[in-house]
Amino acid sequence: MKISLPILFATTLGYSLIAQADLVPLKAPSMFDKGPAAMTAINLNNEEQISLILLDSALDLAKSAALATGCESVEGDYSVEVTVEGVNNKPKTNVIKIVSPGKTEPLILNAIAEEPDSFHGQVFTINQAKSSKLKETLISEFSGSAHINRELTLLSIQSSAIVLGQNNISSPYLNLRLKHFYEEPKSDNRQYLSGWGFASLSKEGFPVNKFWVRSKALKTDGQLKRVVLQEDLLIGFSACRIVIDSATDIKKKTDEQEKQKSFAFKGTMTISKSQPNENLPKANQI
């Protein structure tokens, strides 16, 4: 049996690429070098948990828009603002607003925190206030369900949305994410909370993209102060990176009838055609 030159070349090239990939493996954090990480409980209050879930939901929106219309069509810096009171079963008290570059009308999501289960953990649901655009991409009917375990070390989110694509046809998109949280050793009063995992994105029920999920949060004096979330496209037609960099602040309400604390994040969501192995800009490093 004869083997044509094109097939022989393609086969040789394939083995060459596999060999190169083996030389530089994609490694998990060093804490997994000796096997599964220990289940060490993490301390986050309700407001902090809801804030992180809303920020993750913003990433889901951005990924869906990037798949529907192309990463280049949604490239840019978006303003992100999160306000959370942490009240269970009251979605209007837990809000994230995303404002596209050059626009004023925000895309708004609300989160509902259900009563926690002392054994299993807690469930959160996320919904879109109304149909809105991420830059020029129309997104509607976004909804999600997030589950976090009792120790606050594992987070899973499933979300869906209807997105208007380049062909002017609306299609359903489904996001799935699994992320592991772990705390790094303390340094003075500084504590780092890192996240690591993967996410997938499907269109009309069929998986089309896979993302590498990373996050890092700075805690000082036991409270979150800054959060950076990053997702890199691993499978797709072109590179695409989404980064949210936000600073946190806790403010007292001025209303005498409402003395409850309000937890707030303000920052930027940047979408770019960066490769997964490219370093983050210094401004985004904690």
Side-chain angles (χ1 to χ4, degrees):
M1 180 180 67
K2 292 183 178 181
I3 301 176
S4 66
L5 286 177
I7 294 176
L8 180 61
F9 175 75
T11 304
T12 304
L13 178 62
Y15 281 121
S16 176
L17 291 174
I18 291 172
Q20 291 180 26
D22 288 340
L23 293 175
V24 188
L26 183 61
K27 295 187 67 177
S30 59
M31 65 178 296
F32 299 108
D33 286 348
K34 297 181 180 180
M39 187 74 80
T40 303
I42 293 173
N43 182 28
L44 289 176
N45 62 36
N46 214 33
E47 294 94 328
E48 292 170 331
Q49 292 180 57
I50 296 170
S51 298
L52 293 177
I53 288 167
L54 284 170
L55 289 169
D56 270 316
S57 298
L59 291 176
D60 284 353
L61 282 172
K63 285 189 301 183
S64 300
L67 174 59
T69 59
C71 191
E72 63 280 353
S73 69
V74 289
E75 278 188 288
D77 295 326
Y78 298 75
S79 172
V80 175
E81 182 176 341
V82 181
T83 303
V84 171
E85 295 177 4
V87 180
N88 290 338
N89 300 314
K90 289 189 177 181
K92 290 186 179 180
T93 65
N94 308 312
V95 182
I96 185 169
K97 297 180 180 179
I98 308 163
V99 180
S100 299
K103 297 186 181 296
T104 57
E105 182 179 356
L107 193 158
I108 299 174
L109 301 178
N110 299 103
I112 301 174
E114 297 183 10
E115 294 294 334
D117 184 304
S118 60
F119 180 77
H120 292 103
Q122 194 166 7
V123 177
F124 307 84
T125 57
I126 310 97
N127 291 287
Q128 186 175 0
K130 64 176 182 178
S131 298
S132 303
K133 290 183 177 181
L134 199 67
K135 222 168 185 180
E136 299 302 327
T137 302
L138 182 64
I139 302 175
S140 58
E141 299 180 34
F142 178 92
S143 63
S145 178
H147 297 70
I148 195 163
N149 66 342
R150 180 182 59 180
E151 295 81 8
L152 307 185
T153 57
L154 288 173
L155 170 68
S156 65
I157 301 180
Q158 176 174 312
S159 67
S160 61
I162 304 297
V163 186
L164 187 66
Q166 291 174 320
N167 55 6
N168 209 33
I169 296 176
S170 296
S171 300
Y173 291 81
L174 175 67
N175 282 279
L176 300 174
R177 179 190 287 98
L178 183 62
K179 183 161 63 173
H180 170 222
F181 291 110
Y182 55 95
E183 286 185 330
E184 299 177 6
K186 287 184 179 180
S187 175
D188 298 326
N189 68 332
R190 299 167 69 89
Q191 178 86 54
Y192 289 104
L193 174 64
S194 295
W196 197 87
F198 289 96
S200 68
L201 178 60
S202 300
K203 178 181 179 181
E204 297 181 349
F206 294 93
V208 289
N209 287 146
K210 181 181 179 181
F211 288 79
W212 181 14
V213 176
R214 287 172 285 177
S215 64
K216 193 169 186 178
L218 169 64
K219 296 171 65 178
T220 58
D221 299 322
Q223 295 178 339
L224 286 181
K225 293 297 182 182
R226 187 178 176 195
V227 178
V228 176
L229 299 95
Q230 176 180 342
E231 293 202 6
D232 287 287
L233 181 63
L234 296 179
I235 296 177
F237 294 107
S238 66
C240 196
R241 169 179 285 179
I242 307 164
V243 176
I244 294 180
D245 189 353
S246 61
T248 63
D249 188 21
I250 297 179
K251 299 177 180 179
K252 284 279 191 176
K253 287 191 173 182
T254 57
D255 191 334
E256 290 298 325
Q257 295 180 348
E258 298 183 27
K259 290 295 186 179
Q260 193 172 354
K261 286 184 177 179
S262 180
F263 195 81
F265 283 78
K266 286 188 178 180
T268 302
M269 178 172 72
T270 301
I271 303 175
S272 64
K273 296 182 70 175
S274 300
Q275 300 289 346
N277 59 352
E278 291 180 17
N279 292 328
L280 284 169
K282 290 184 178 179
N284 285 334
Q285 294 177 349
I286 300 180

